Amino acid sequence: MNPKDQTPLPALSTRYVFGLKSDVKHNIFHISDTKLCYIAGHQLVVYSAEEQKSQQFFPGLEGSLGITAMAIHPNKKQVAVAEKAERAVVIVHNIETQKKKVLALNGSESSAQEISSMAFAPFADKNYLVTLMAAECLVVYWQWDKQRVIAHTKIQGVSTMNEISINPLDHSSILCVGNGSVKYFRQIENGMKLLNNVMNKKDQNTSNNYTCHAFLSDGKIIVGTEAGELLLLDNSGEYKQCLSSSPFDGWGIECIVPWSKGFIVGGDNATLYIYERNTEDPKNPYQRVMRSLQVKTANNNPIDAKIKGISISPSEDMIVCTLENNLMYQSLFQIDRIGEVENSFELVSYDFHSQAIKGLDVCVRKPLLVTCSTDKTVRIWNYLDKTLEISQNFSEEAYCVGFHPSGCHIVVGFADKLRMMNVLSDSIKTFKDIHQKSCKEVKFAHGGHKFAAVHSTWIQIYNFYTGEAPHHLGRNHTAKIRGICWTEDDQSIITAGWDGFIYIYNIHTGVAERQFQEKAVNFSSVLITLDKKSILAVGSDKCLREFGEKDQKKTMDTGYTVGQVCMAQSQKMVFAAMAEPDRPGSIRVYRYPLTGEYYEYQAHSAPIERIALTYDDQYMFSVGQDGVLIMHDIKDKEGRGPKREKEATPLAFSDEFLVPKHKLDQASNEILSLKNELDNLNRQNDHGFAVLTKEKDAIIVKLQEDIRANNEQDKIKYERLRDEKHELELTYKEKMRKIKYDHDKAVGKTEKDYAQRISTEKQRYKELYDEKLEAKAQFEHKQMKIKTEDDRMKAALRSKHASELRAIKGDSERIAVEKDDLYEKHKSKREKIEDQYEKEIDMIKEKNAEEIQKNKQAGEEHKSKKTMMTKSFDQLGTVVKKKEIRIKDLKKHIGQKQEEIDTARKDIVSQLKEIQERDKTIADKDKRIQELKKKTQELEKFKFVLDYKIKELKKDINPREEEIAKMKEQTSNMDAELRHFTRVNNSLKLIVDDYKMKQDGMQVEINKLKQKMREDGNVIKKQRDDIYEAAQYLEDFKSLKSGILKLYHKYVQKDGAQLEVDFDIQKEYANQRKYLENTVDGFKKKLAKDADVHRQDNMRIMKENVELLKEINDLRREYKLMINNQKLEVLEMGTRSGSRSFKASVRSTGSSITPKPPQSGNRQIKDEMSHNKAEIMAMRNEIMRLEDLLGEPQDHDHDGELYQADIDGSQDYREYMREDRDDQPGDRQADGEDIDGDENFQEYKGVYQDGDHTGVVADDDGAQVDGQAEIVVDEEDQRQEHGDQEGEQDGAQVEVEADDDGDEGHQQEGEAANEEEEEEKVMVGEDGDREGDHEGHDDEVEGEGQEEDHVRLEGEEADEMEGEEGANQDTGAA
């Protein structure tokens, strides 16, 4: 290949990770309330739940052996990760800047490979880190920002240590716990000092295997054991007690995390215990919350797993824990609600695999991939949405899995069978079982019509759509097959086995077309290029092999065992997955054709089991023995995806999925039932709303009556309270004068008392100040004396100690000199003796052998002398040791004296503190005096303010009351206007909607008529043309006759001819007609029921109106009787006086005696009448609205019945009113005037007609036209105002003419009554006019026929006649 044609080697980057590394202790921490960091695979993951569950990655070091520990800085910006290597390494990542610092020990410090625990200093401004190497029991103290070691020490006499941390109150104090030991260190200059044994007071029955610990916020320490015991230590690390509320019962404690009010303990059975600080009981400083928190599955099943890490959010409202089965759970952290919810935990992300993943395959037509694991689950993931679509549990382990290209089916291999399954919307369902045991490999053809399944040494090809197995391949292999691959055309399949053979089979003949052999190689994966010219395979010999045509072979050493290999669709990249035991799994990207150049990315913490590519080469997926699924982006160094050859636009992913028919039917039934329920609820709501509206209206009426009654009572009460207020004001003024006098007297007395107290306090202050000066002088004198004595004693002790030290030094020097002299003497003697005896020995040897015995004796004598000399030397050594002991005693004595000096210094400090306290007491007294002075001034100010406020309140009482009354009146007026505008708006909306519907219908009808007119015009034009042609033969009878006959046959016979209709069509028409008739009958029955209900409601409302009219009549009678009685009293008074002077006096005084009560009563009654009229109109509007609601579902055929029912109701009411009017003739005759019975009848008739019959007409089709929605509220308000004005005019007339005689008073009273009757007539006439206008408008809109106009005019004439009769009767009565 030309080097210029080579593209840059692409790189892999992690896109998303599904999983967790659970073998790291304390493997999760909160960065913020919405961000978490944890370990997954061979990288640090920062997970953000707020940003659509995004992930940020910090990969580990290439070539390391995995991550073993992690810790987070208190500022939440740095995270430390420890990695296993030839020498253990710590990487400190900055989350914000993504920079890192690497900490590593040199060979002289340690050669440990693994760090088991580490912790940051608990101060945000302290850049210290402590690490623990468990295997070597080595503690190292780092300054991580400088990347240097401050101190390190090795713990002696301990086999293993579990955890290490730093005291939050003192960053130089370090605590380590392990199996059988708890060590407390203090970091000193250039070293670490081990403190005393902290557990020497512990009970012997307590477990010695300390698994974890935590420093609390107050500096105390909690240590957990494997037996479930919680041990409390104080700030210095001394054992205090074992908490009585410890879990016990062998519940192993795995981790402890502090929080602001206590700590949380996690351990076996996925259970958490929460402890709070107990300030009430000092013997039990921490007590456990009553219920524990247990993590459970979504089905509320318990989880048998240990908790490996706990993290609490910075705001302490969320708790997150990790389990040893690779899952993360979270829950709201609310102490007061613990135990309310049975299972308050939910998954942080998704339900990950808890064990090694063995199978992986990617779909072509959907963004899905499938995995199977030894945890007996099969899961389907969406790699675009980064979600878990389906998770299915099985009773046995799945060995392999294959995904159909369509994405709707999978094949899963189990120990005893091969299952073909459908992928549904929310589950996986088996549709066929194939009895093939121990299938470890399964692979779909590119077309999806076939799939291959491996069993031991043979391979079976199945037809996917029939489930048949026409071919049985692989008889040539002598060992297990571990790799299979289809060619691009699906005509051949390649197999590779542990026997070192690779075969290419033709699936149609079942014969091996080619074979390749490598002895002593166990092949694990194989692939073939698209052109079928090359085969790549990997195996146990740590090599990547390429087999070409004509037995060409290329071998490339990889250095590690390669487990899987795959090739991109572009045929330019080869991906190899490393599966070296006990090493993290990495992925290599080789350039193809193979040149040896590769890019390596370390992703997993354990060997990789499977890898797969998407069809467009955008993503690669890998799974491993660590149970983690990783999705990788394939990009070049500039972040771009791999280039593909020019091709047509790729298909978009399909979104179809399979749904079982019974589920579809069930969903349809549920939708239908929900629709029915919705309709029922709507009907119930409408009915309930109507009932509730009636109830509320009744309540409103009752409340209005109560308000009127309360207003009367309030008026009376107001007058009474006003009188009481006047009396109270007088009493209040008297009391204020008295209080002011008493206050002035008390203030004078208080000022006098405070003046005496101040003088006394000043005298006392002076005495205390003198005592202070005297005590200060005495103290200074005593202090000087003590200091002098202390200096003298120090000098004496120093001189004494110096003399003793000099004497001791002299003795030691003298002893040393004596020792040296003795040594020299002994040495010289020894040398002389040795020389002498050597010569004598030589002489004796030369003389004879007899002297040997003598020399031996002499030698023994000299040996005894030598022994004596040695003893004397030892005695001198003992003397030296005694002197050293003496020196130690003297040093101890010096230490005691130093302690006495320290004690004296402490006494001095305490006395100084006492002096300071005395000074503070004096200052407090001064402050108290100043405060008393300030209080006196404040009292004077308060007195002035009270006086001013009293005056202001007096001034503001009356204006405020007047303002309150005005505001109340304004508020009531605004409420009335608001209700008025609301009613008008609602009415106008209904009218506009009605008109729009009518307009649409009329437009459709107009269009039809226009079309019909055009067609008729064409026919008429043709007829005219034909007639004109026939008219041309008027003189020729035969031609004329033939032309007329043609016209007849053309326009008469043809139109009248009967068309033959098919019998089946007639039968079907008859069936349809019968069905429609039945439907119409059903509607008629339903309409009849609704009509009955409607009529009953109308009758009930009419009865209520009758009762209201009765009350109005009673009020009018009372009003008229009151006027007559008052006038009679005036006339009697005038008759008795017998002169016109009384009348003149009445005129001169403004007629204030007699006329005013009628005026006020008249106005009050008028107001009540207008109010009752408004209520009647409101009820009429409500009746119209209810009729609208009840009239909506009625059928057109029953409009006449409803209209007749309304007429019957109105006739019943008229008869009732006539009976009521005829029953009381005496009242009418007694007063000489009508009691307005006919007038009330006319008024009610107008109301009823306006409310019930206005606009109720029928069109050509019998459709009901409801004009009741038009409510003229403005005219009602105008009539009320008009009535009020007339009432005032009547009252004025009574005042002016009150001085006339009795006959004139009766005449005036009759005229006022006539005016009232005329007013009622005007109102009735206005209602009738409005009825006619409304009906006429409806006629114009609907375009109804002449017959309907005639009916409507008759109704109007009847109304006018009734109105005239009522007017004539009223005039005659007057």
Side-chain angles (χ1 to χ4, degrees):
M1 180 182 290
N2 189 350
K4 294 182 180 179
D5 297 336
Q6 292 185 359
T7 58
L9 194 64
L12 294 177
S13 62
T14 304
R15 180 178 177 84
Y16 207 82
V17 176
F18 296 98
L20 172 73
K21 184 175 173 62
S22 59
D23 55 355
V24 177
K25 198 172 183 180
H26 298 293
N27 54 2
I28 191 166
F29 293 99
H30 269 92
I31 296 176
S32 64
D33 287 336
T34 58
K35 284 189 177 182
L36 297 169
C37 64
Y38 57 89
I39 303 299
H42 193 65
Q43 55 239 327
L44 172 67
V45 181
V46 177
Y47 173 82
S48 176
E50 188 176 24
E51 300 174 359
Q52 298 180 351
K53 298 183 178 180
S54 64
Q55 290 181 345
Q56 184 181 4
F57 304 99
F58 296 86
L61 290 177
E62 295 294 338
S64 67
L65 301 179
I67 298 173
T68 59
M70 70 177 296
I72 190 167
H73 197 274
N75 62 10
K76 307 295 184 181
K77 295 180 181 179
Q78 285 84 22
V79 178
V81 176
E83 298 192 31
K84 185 178 180 181
E86 293 182 359
R87 287 192 179 87
V89 178
V90 177
I91 305 174
V92 181
H93 296 278
N94 190 309
I95 302 299
E96 295 179 350
T97 64
Q98 298 188 1
K99 295 181 180 180
K100 63 182 179 181
K101 292 183 180 292
V102 181
L103 311 180
L105 294 170
N106 54 38
S108 61
E109 293 170 338
S110 173
S111 60
Q113 295 184 349
E114 181 177 350
I115 295 174
S116 60
S117 178
M118 58 183 175
F120 280 96
F123 301 99
D125 56 343
K126 300 295 182 183
N127 297 325
Y128 298 119
L129 176 71
V130 62
T131 58
L132 172 66
M133 288 76 167
E136 295 187 355
C137 297
L138 180 66
V139 178
V140 182
Y141 200 82
W142 303 80
Q143 187 177 5
W144 61 266
D145 58 334
K146 304 290 182 161
Q147 297 178 328
R148 67 185 184 90
V149 176
I150 297 177
H152 62 89
T153 185
K154 189 172 184 179
I155 305 174
Q156 301 294 335
V158 179
S159 58
T160 57
M161 299 299 290
N162 295 328
E163 197 173 84
I164 191 169
S165 63
I166 301 177
N167 193 329
L169 303 180
D170 182 10
H171 65 85
S172 63
S173 299
I174 302 166
L175 183 68
C176 299
V177 298
N179 189 0
S181 64
V182 177
K183 301 296 183 182
Y184 201 42
F185 294 94
R186 183 177 298 279
Q187 188 266 329
I188 59 176
E189 186 177 359
N190 299 328
M192 301 181 72
K193 181 181 178 182
L194 178 63
L195 303 181
N196 296 329
N197 186 10
V198 298
M199 304 298 288
N200 51 5
K201 297 181 181 180
K202 181 177 69 70
D203 189 4
Q204 295 181 355
N205 296 327
T206 305
S207 174
N208 291 327
N209 189 3
Y210 310 108
T211 56
C212 56
H213 72 282
F215 279 96
L216 305 182
S217 57
D218 55 359
K220 294 182 180 179
I221 307 168
I222 289 291
V223 179
T225 68
E226 67 175 359
E229 298 153 335
L230 292 172
L231 310 180
L232 179 63
L233 282 66
D234 62 7
N235 298 343
S236 61
E238 184 178 355
Y239 174 81
K240 289 298 181 183
Q241 64 178 13
C242 177
L243 297 183
S244 59
S245 57
S246 299
F248 298 113
D249 297 333
W251 185 81
I253 299 175
E254 290 292 326
C255 52
I256 302 174
V257 176
W259 63 293
S260 59
K261 296 182 181 179
F263 58 92
I264 302 173
V265 179
D268 296 341
N269 301 326
T271 305
L272 298 172
Y273 290 100
I274 302 175
Y275 288 82
E276 284 187 302
R277 190 180 296 108
N278 184 13
T279 57
E280 298 178 357
D281 186 6
K283 294 183 179 180
N284 188 19
Y286 291 94
Q287 61 182 2
R288 188 172 73 190
V289 177
M290 293 305 295
R291 292 197 59 174
S292 61
L293 289 176
Q294 186 173 10
V295 181
K296 296 182 180 180
T297 61
N299 299 326
N300 208 21
N301 295 324
I303 300 175
D304 186 14
K306 294 181 179 180
I307 293 179
K308 303 298 290 184
I310 303 173
S311 178
I312 303 175
S313 62
S315 59
E316 293 190 349
D317 59 350
M318 184 69 69
I319 182 172
V320 179
C321 63
T322 59
L323 308 181
E324 65 178 355
N325 60 354
N326 298 350
L327 295 181
M328 295 184 292
Y329 285 89
Q330 65 181 1
S331 172
L332 289 176
F333 187 57
Q334 298 177 354
I335 297 299
D336 54 346
R337 298 188 62 186
I338 287 178
E340 293 183 4
V341 182
E342 185 68 22
N343 185 16
S344 60
F345 281 91
E346 60 182 9
L347 288 167
V348 174
S349 178
Y350 297 104
D351 190 6
F352 306 138
H353 284 292
S354 59
Q355 297 180 17
I357 302 175
K358 294 294 184 180
L360 170 68
D361 199 6
V362 181
C363 176
V364 177
R365 289 289 295 119
K366 292 183 181 180
L368 301 177
L369 61 98
V370 62
T371 58
C372 64
S373 170
T374 56
D375 60 2
K376 302 178 182 179
T377 62
V378 174
R379 303 171 195 261
I380 295 178
W381 312 81
N382 189 316
Y383 58 81
L384 288 186
D385 296 339
K386 305 171 186 175
T387 57
L388 173 62
E389 296 286 336
I390 302 172
S391 177
Q392 189 84 13
N393 292 316
F394 295 93
S395 60
E396 54 185 337
E397 177 186 345
Y399 292 153
C400 59
V401 65
F403 216 140
H404 193 272
S406 66
C408 298
H409 316 282
I410 61 173
V411 176
V412 185
F414 293 93
D416 58 343
K417 66 187 70 175
L418 191 66
R419 290 184 177 178
M420 301 173 66
M421 313 178 81
N422 287 327
V423 179
L424 307 180
S425 59
D426 56 354
S427 63
I428 305 171
K429 185 176 180 181
T430 303
F431 67 88
K432 184 176 179 60
D433 288 339
I434 300 174
H435 295 285
Q436 179 173 330
K437 296 182 179 181
S438 300
C439 178
K440 296 298 181 69
E441 295 288 337
V442 63
K443 190 76 172 179
F444 271 97
H446 295 90
H449 60 294
K450 296 181 183 295
F451 67 90
V454 173
H455 170 64
S456 186
T457 61
W458 52 272
I459 183 169
Q460 193 79 32
I461 306 297
Y462 291 94
N463 189 322
F464 175 74
Y465 298 106
T466 62
E468 298 175 352
H471 297 293
H472 193 68
L473 309 178
R475 293 295 184 182
N476 299 333
H477 285 283
T478 58
K480 293 181 179 180
I481 300 173
R482 277 294 176 261
I484 57 176
C485 178
W486 289 85
T487 57
E488 185 68 17
D489 56 4
D490 294 335
Q491 299 300 312
S492 303
I493 189 168
I494 298 91
T495 63
W498 282 1
D499 55 358
F501 280 91
I502 297 174
Y503 293 98
I504 301 177
Y505 290 98
N506 187 310
I507 63 170
H508 299 290
T509 62
V511 177
E513 297 177 345
R514 295 177 62 188
Q515 71 177 24
F516 305 94
Q517 180 182 7
E518 286 292 333
K519 295 181 179 179
V521 176
N522 298 331
F523 287 115
S524 58
S525 181
V526 65
L527 65 86
I528 188 170
T529 58
L530 295 179
D531 56 7
K532 301 182 183 180
K533 294 181 179 180
S534 299
I535 294 176
L536 278 74
V538 294
S540 59
D541 61 344
K542 303 179 181 181
C543 291
L544 174 62
R545 286 181 170 81
E546 181 181 7
F547 300 95
E549 294 179 337
K550 299 179 182 180
D551 296 333
Q552 295 178 355
K553 184 171 64 175
K554 183 187 293 184
T555 303
M556 186 179 299
D557 187 11
T558 60
Y560 299 104
T561 302
V562 181
Q564 293 288 312
V565 63
C566 64
M567 179 177 286
Q569 292 291 328
S570 62
Q571 303 291 298
K572 296 179 181 180
M573 294 176 289
V574 175
F575 299 89
M578 301 295 124
E580 185 72 17
D582 299 328
R583 287 188 64 87
S586 60
I587 300 172
R588 289 185 182 179
V589 185
Y590 288 92
R591 188 189 306 282
Y592 188 79
L594 298 175
T595 61
E597 182 183 0
Y598 66 88
Y599 167 81
E600 185 170 1
Y601 178 73
Q602 195 163 331
H604 291 265
S605 61
I608 297 176
E609 289 286 342
R610 302 276 180 175
I611 57 174
L613 287 168
T614 57
Y615 188 75
D616 56 0
D617 293 342
Q618 293 293 322
Y619 308 114
M620 194 194 75
F621 308 97
S622 60
V623 297
Q625 296 179 8
D626 54 0
V628 176
L629 166 63
I630 302 179
M631 181 168 63
H632 309 272
D633 279 329
I634 303 175
K635 296 181 179 180
D636 57 16
K637 294 182 180 179
E638 296 179 358
R640 298 173 299 187
K643 295 182 180 178
R644 301 188 62 188
E645 300 295 336
K646 291 183 179 180
E647 58 182 11
T649 304
L651 289 175
F653 287 121
S654 64
D655 54 358
E656 297 86 2
F657 58 88
L658 301 179
V659 179
K661 187 177 184 304
H662 71 277
K663 283 193 175 182
L664 190 61
D665 296 339
Q666 183 180 359
S668 301
N669 295 331
E670 288 180 358
I671 292 170
L672 184 61
S673 63
L674 289 174
K675 286 183 178 179
N676 295 332
E677 289 180 5
L678 181 61
D679 295 338
N680 294 332
L681 288 174
N682 290 332
R683 287 195 294 270
Q684 293 176 4
N685 289 336
D686 294 340
H687 178 68
F689 179 74
V691 174
L692 184 63
T693 304
K694 293 178 182 178
E695 294 176 355
K696 295 297 181 183
D697 291 340
I699 293 171
I700 289 169
V701 172
K702 186 177 179 182
L703 289 174
Q704 288 174 349
E705 294 175 355
D706 295 341
I707 288 170
R708 287 196 298 271
N710 291 333
N711 287 337
E712 296 295 331
Q713 295 178 1
D714 291 342
K715 287 180 181 178
I716 298 170
K717 188 175 180 181
Y718 173 75
E719 296 293 336
R720 181 172 54 80
L721 291 174
R722 188 172 61 182
D723 297 337
E724 292 178 358
K725 173 191 170 187
H726 183 66
E727 294 176 357
L728 288 174
E729 285 179 352
L730 297 176
T731 307
Y732 174 73
K733 290 179 181 179
E734 185 64 27
K735 286 183 179 180
M736 285 300 299
R737 285 194 295 270
K738 187 177 180 181
I739 290 170
K740 187 176 181 181
Y741 174 76
D742 295 339
H743 176 69
D744 295 339
K745 186 177 179 181
V747 167
K749 187 177 179 180
T750 304
E751 289 176 351
K752 185 177 179 182
D753 293 340
Y754 274 107
Q756 292 177 359
R757 289 184 183 179
I758 288 169
S759 61
T760 305
E761 291 294 335
K762 285 182 178 179
Q763 184 66 27
R764 187 179 176 190
Y765 170 74
K766 186 176 181 182
E767 292 175 358
L768 290 172
Y769 186 72
D770 295 338
E771 289 179 3
K772 172 193 168 186
L773 295 176
E774 185 179 355
K776 186 176 180 181
Q778 291 178 0
F779 174 74
E780 289 177 353
H781 177 69
K782 187 176 180 180
Q783 186 179 11
M784 291 297 295
K785 187 176 178 181
I786 291 171
K787 189 174 181 182
T788 305
E789 184 67 21
D790 181 59
D791 294 338
R792 185 182 61 78
M793 290 177 67
K794 282 183 179 179
L797 287 172
R798 285 196 188 98
S799 61
K800 183 178 179 182
H801 292 161
S803 61
E804 290 180 356
L805 188 60
R806 284 195 297 274
I808 290 169
K809 285 183 179 180
D811 293 341
S812 62
E813 290 175 357
R814 181 174 54 78
I815 291 168
V817 171
E818 291 179 356
K819 176 183 175 183
D820 294 337
D821 293 340
L822 290 173
Y823 182 75
E824 291 295 334
K825 290 179 180 180
H826 176 71
K827 186 177 179 181
S828 59
K829 285 183 179 181
R830 187 176 64 185
E831 290 176 353
K832 289 179 180 179
I833 292 169
E834 286 177 355
D835 294 337
Q836 182 179 355
Y837 278 103
E838 284 178 359
K839 292 178 180 179
E840 291 179 357
I841 289 168
D842 293 336
M843 291 172 65
I844 290 169
K845 283 182 180 180
E846 291 176 357
K847 288 181 180 179
N848 48 28
E850 293 179 357
E851 296 293 333
I852 291 172
Q853 191 65 31
K854 293 180 181 180
N855 289 330
K856 283 182 179 181
Q857 293 177 357
E860 290 176 359
E861 291 177 359
H862 286 290
K863 282 181 181 180
S864 61
K865 289 180 181 180
K866 182 180 178 182
T867 303
M868 292 174 66
M869 295 296 292
T870 305
K871 287 180 180 180
S872 63
F873 181 76
D874 293 337
Q875 290 176 357
L876 291 173
T878 54
V879 172
V880 171
K881 287 181 180 179
K882 288 179 181 180
K883 295 294 183 182
E884 290 176 353
I885 292 170
R886 174 64 178 166
I887 291 169
K888 288 181 181 180
D889 293 338
L890 290 173
K891 287 182 179 179
K892 194 178 292 184
H893 183 65
I894 292 169
Q896 292 175 356
K897 294 298 182 182
Q898 188 66 35
E899 290 178 356
E900 292 177 359
I901 293 168
D902 294 340
T903 304
R905 288 178 177 172
K906 289 180 181 179
D907 293 338
I908 293 168
V909 172
S910 62
Q911 290 176 0
L912 289 172
K913 287 182 180 179
E914 186 176 357
I915 292 169
Q916 292 175 357
E917 291 175 357
R918 292 283 181 88
D919 293 339
K920 288 181 181 179
T921 304
I922 294 167
D924 293 338
K925 293 293 182 180
D926 294 338
K927 288 181 182 179
R928 178 62 177 166
I929 292 167
Q930 295 296 328
E931 288 175 359
L932 292 172
K933 289 181 180 179
K934 290 180 180 179
K935 284 185 178 179
T936 304
Q937 296 175 357
E938 289 176 358
L939 287 172
E940 292 176 354
K941 292 179 182 178
F942 185 62
K943 172 190 172 186
F944 176 76
V945 171
L946 283 176
D947 293 339
Y948 179 75
K949 283 187 176 180
I950 290 167
K951 294 177 182 178
E952 292 294 326
L953 289 172
K954 287 179 180 179
K955 293 179 182 179
D956 292 343
I957 286 173
N958 293 329
R960 288 291 176 88
E961 290 179 352
E962 293 176 359
E963 186 179 354
I964 288 168
K966 290 180 181 178
M967 293 299 289
K968 286 183 178 178
E969 184 177 0
Q970 186 179 0
T971 304
S972 62
N973 294 334
M974 291 176 71
D975 291 339
E977 289 179 2
L978 180 61
R979 289 193 295 271
H980 167 68
F981 288 131
T982 304
R983 290 196 300 270
V984 171
N985 288 336
N986 294 332
S987 302
L988 291 176
K989 286 180 182 177
L990 293 172
I991 292 168
V992 170
D993 294 339
D994 190 14
Y995 285 167
K996 285 182 179 178
M997 292 174 62
K998 291 177 181 178
Q999 184 180 4
D1000 295 337
M1002 292 298 295
Q1003 187 65 38
V1004 173
E1005 188 68 24
I1006 288 168
N1007 293 333
K1008 290 181 180 178
L1009 291 174
K1010 287 181 178 179
Q1011 182 66 25
K1012 187 174 180 181
M1013 289 173 65
R1014 284 194 294 270
E1015 294 175 356
D1016 293 343
N1018 294 331
V1019 173
I1020 291 168
K1021 186 178 180 181
K1022 289 180 181 179
Q1023 288 179 353
R1024 286 178 179 175
D1025 294 339
D1026 294 341
I1027 292 169
Y1028 178 77
E1029 290 179 0
Q1032 300 297 324
Y1033 304 102
L1034 289 174
E1035 296 177 357
D1036 188 358
F1037 178 76
K1038 292 182 179 180
S1039 301
L1040 180 63
K1041 182 179 180 180
S1042 63
I1044 296 297
L1045 289 174
K1046 287 181 181 179
L1047 289 174
Y1048 178 79
H1049 290 301
K1050 184 175 182 180
Y1051 294 106
V1052 178
Q1053 294 295 332
K1054 187 176 181 180
D1055 293 339
Q1058 294 182 355
L1059 299 175
E1060 295 183 359
V1061 182
D1062 191 3
F1063 177 74
D1064 294 334
I1065 295 174
Q1066 291 181 351
K1067 186 177 181 181
E1068 180 64 23
Y1069 173 75
N1071 293 333
Q1072 292 290 337
R1073 180 175 181 178
K1074 186 177 181 181
Y1075 171 74
L1076 293 173
E1077 288 176 352
N1078 294 333
T1079 305
V1080 169
D1081 292 338
F1083 284 151
K1084 287 181 179 179
K1085 292 178 182 178
K1086 184 177 179 182
L1087 185 60
K1089 293 181 181 179
D1090 295 338
D1092 293 338
V1093 175
H1094 179 67
R1095 186 161 43 93
Q1096 292 174 4
D1097 290 338
N1098 285 341
M1099 293 300 297
R1100 180 177 56 77
I1101 293 169
M1102 284 189 289
K1103 289 179 181 179
E1104 291 177 356
N1105 290 341
V1106 169
E1107 293 176 359
L1108 290 172
L1109 290 173
K1110 281 183 179 180
E1111 292 178 1
I1112 293 170
N1113 289 332
D1114 293 339
L1115 291 172
R1116 285 179 176 173
R1117 292 191 196 97
E1118 292 176 0
Y1119 162 66
K1120 291 175 183 177
L1121 288 173
M1122 183 175 63
I1123 291 174
N1124 292 333
N1125 292 333
Q1126 290 173 354
K1127 289 180 178 180
L1128 289 173
E1129 290 176 0
V1130 172
L1131 292 173
E1132 288 175 0
M1133 292 173 64
T1135 304
R1136 290 172 187 175
S1137 62
S1139 64
R1140 308 290 294 183
S1141 61
F1142 176 74
K1143 297 179 181 178
S1145 63
V1146 171
R1147 290 192 189 96
S1148 63
T1149 55
S1151 302
S1152 61
I1153 298 172
T1154 305
K1156 281 189 178 179
Q1159 178 187 3
S1160 61
N1162 187 15
R1163 184 175 298 173
Q1164 181 178 359
I1165 291 170
K1166 288 290 184 180
D1167 293 338
E1168 291 179 354
M1169 289 174 65
S1170 63
H1171 180 71
N1172 290 333
K1173 290 176 183 177
E1175 290 182 347
I1176 291 168
M1177 293 303 297
M1179 293 179 68
R1180 184 183 67 187
N1181 297 336
E1182 182 62 22
I1183 291 167
M1184 293 166 63
R1185 189 185 63 79
L1186 292 172
E1187 287 178 350
D1188 289 339
L1189 294 175
L1190 294 172
E1192 287 177 1
Q1194 296 176 356
D1195 194 81
H1196 302 311
D1197 296 336
H1198 294 270
D1199 288 341
E1201 296 177 6
L1202 291 177
Y1203 182 77
Q1204 186 64 36
D1206 293 340
I1207 293 174
D1208 294 340
S1210 64
Q1211 291 176 356
D1212 295 338
Y1213 179 74
R1214 289 169 187 164
E1215 292 175 1
Y1216 179 85
M1217 291 301 300
R1218 291 193 184 98
E1219 291 174 1
D1220 181 76
R1221 183 179 58 192
D1222 295 335
D1223 290 339
Q1224 300 174 356
D1227 295 338
R1228 187 185 308 147
Q1229 294 173 2
D1231 295 336
E1233 56 191 30
D1234 191 38
I1235 62 171
D1236 298 332
D1238 294 336
E1239 181 182 345
N1240 293 336
F1241 170 71
Q1242 294 293 335
E1243 179 184 0
Y1244 178 75
K1245 183 180 71 174
V1247 171
Y1248 182 76
Q1249 289 174 351
D1250 190 30
D1252 291 336
H1253 294 300
T1254 303
V1256 182
V1257 296
D1259 56 9
D1260 295 337
D1261 298 332
Q1264 182 177 355
V1265 181
D1266 191 358
Q1268 299 173 0
E1270 184 176 359
I1271 304 170
V1272 187
V1273 183
D1274 295 335
E1275 295 180 4
E1276 295 170 9
D1277 296 338
Q1278 292 174 3
R1279 290 201 305 274
Q1280 292 176 9
E1281 294 175 359
H1282 181 65
D1284 294 341
Q1285 293 174 0
E1286 289 182 353
E1288 292 176 358
Q1289 292 174 2
D1290 294 341
Q1293 291 174 1
V1294 173
E1295 289 180 7
V1296 172
E1297 297 177 0
D1299 56 336
D1300 293 341
D1301 54 5
D1303 296 332
E1304 292 176 352
H1306 284 288
Q1307 184 179 359
Q1308 183 65 32
E1309 183 178 356
E1311 291 176 358
N1314 290 333
E1315 288 178 0
E1316 292 175 2
E1317 292 169 358
E1318 289 175 1
E1319 177 189 348
E1320 298 293 332
K1321 293 174 185 177
V1322 170
M1323 291 173 65
V1324 173
E1326 288 177 354
D1327 293 339
D1329 294 339
R1330 188 167 65 253
E1331 275 185 310
D1333 294 340
H1334 190 188
E1335 290 174 352
H1337 182 67
D1338 290 339
D1339 293 339
E1340 291 175 2
V1341 175
E1342 294 291 333
E1344 298 172 343
Q1346 295 178 356
E1347 184 179 355
E1348 295 166 2
D1349 294 337
H1350 179 69
V1351 172
R1352 185 168 59 255
L1353 290 173
E1354 288 180 355
E1356 291 176 357
E1357 291 173 0
D1359 293 341
E1360 291 176 357
M1361 291 174 66
E1362 288 177 0
E1364 291 175 359
E1365 290 176 2
N1368 294 330
Q1369 292 176 2
D1370 293 341
T1371 305

